[in-house]
Amino acid sequence: MTAYATPPVPAAVLSPCIGICRLEADGLCAGCHRSGEEIAAWAGMGEAQRLHFMDEVLPARAARREPG
């Protein structure tokens, strides 16, 4: 009987996507507030860069877009 090593399961890429995927007139996604370029580059970003976007950049964009 041969034992096979189980390959490691890759970790899921942290993402702010909420499934509302539509670029608005300002060039940002209606759901996650990323630009098309940022969405395309997301998987290639390091975890620290993604966390910076999710903790600081995207919440600031969301606040600027809120009516009022």
Side-chain angles (χ1 to χ4, degrees):
M1 186 158 135
T2 305
Y4 293 98
T6 304
V9 176
V13 174
L14 186 62
S15 173
C17 180
I18 60 169
I20 303 173
C21 305
R22 182 181 67 245
L23 291 180
E24 299 288 340
D26 62 0
L28 300 176
C29 177
C32 69
H33 311 292
R34 294 178 291 173
S35 69
E37 293 81 14
E38 291 163 349
I39 293 167
W42 196 259
M45 289 181 181
E47 188 168 341
Q49 189 175 13
R50 287 191 299 266
L51 287 171
H52 168 72
F53 264 84
M54 292 181 71
D55 291 343
E56 297 180 33
V57 176
L58 301 177
R61 287 181 186 169
R64 286 194 305 268
R65 294 173 104 191
E66 289 180 5

